[in-house]
Amino acid sequence: MLRNMLSDEIHTKITTLCASADAYVEGKKFELAMRLYQEAWDLLPEPRHDWDAATWILSALGDCCYLSGDYARSVALFTECLRCPNALANPFIHLRLGESHFELGNETSAADELTRAYMGAGKEIFADEAPKYFELLKRVLKLPPGQTEL
């Protein structure tokens, strides 16, 4: 059963921890941010993956790992995140999962996830990303007849 409503006390603690972690990410203090995201995750009642908050906590933690260069952990966290509510429809989750796979040399998995991001959000999701990720899509996607570019 999907659980949408945490108690006010737990919700406030989680949002406060995540806001502080977000600030650490902005300052590139990734280890501190990861500790706070993990604390927020630990506050979720079992089964943790059933809560809506699980999606944004794990995706924030996975993003932090990606930004810090820990691509293997990023893949693990984003893969785990896909078990959470509404994650399969989230282009950002697929983008970061694809980018992390790319950095680990897993081109097939990277192409699959980057395609999902593209299908969900269009070319715009790649606007602030390194061009190499969109270049992979150009190499692997087959364009429909008459279409000359993605």
Side-chain angles (χ1 to χ4, degrees):
M1 178 174 107
L2 179 63
R3 300 175 193 198
N4 294 321
M5 300 298 293
L6 293 166
S7 72
D8 288 341
E9 179 184 356
I10 291 175
H11 184 267
T12 298
K13 286 180 182 178
I14 287 173
T15 56
T16 300
L17 285 166
C18 288
S20 296
D22 292 346
Y24 282 133
V25 170
E26 288 293 318
K28 300 191 184 318
K29 296 178 180 178
F30 301 117
E31 285 299 319
L32 292 171
M34 286 186 246
R35 283 188 210 137
L36 294 181
Y37 289 134
Q38 186 63 51
E39 259 185 74
W41 173 254
D42 292 341
L43 288 174
L44 287 175
E46 292 288 348
R48 289 186 178 109
H49 294 89
D50 287 357
W51 295 92
D52 289 339
T55 306
W56 49 269
I57 294 169
L58 284 180
S59 64
L61 189 52
D63 188 42
C64 188
C65 291
Y66 169 80
L67 294 171
S68 71
D70 189 349
Y71 304 118
R73 187 164 181 224
S74 179
V75 165
L77 286 163
F78 279 116
T79 300
E80 182 178 358
C81 185
L82 290 174
R83 297 174 41 206
C84 299
N86 302 311
L88 284 172
N90 186 312
F92 176 77
I93 292 170
H94 293 290
L95 175 72
R96 282 292 192 254
L97 185 52
E99 290 172 333
S100 297
H101 274 300
F102 181 96
E103 295 302 332
L104 292 171
N106 305 328
E107 190 171 289
T108 301
S109 295
D112 182 56
E113 294 300 333
L114 294 173
T115 299
R116 291 172 194 269
Y118 176 77
M119 298 298 282
K123 186 176 181 177
E124 299 78 34
I125 198 164
F126 293 91
D128 295 327
E129 305 303 315
K132 60 188 175 183
Y133 304 120
F134 195 70
E135 291 300 319
L136 173 63
L137 282 184
K138 287 183 189 178
R139 284 196 327 266
V140 300
L141 292 182
K142 293 184 177 161
L143 299 174
Q147 187 173 337
T148 58
E149 64 180 64
L150 291 179

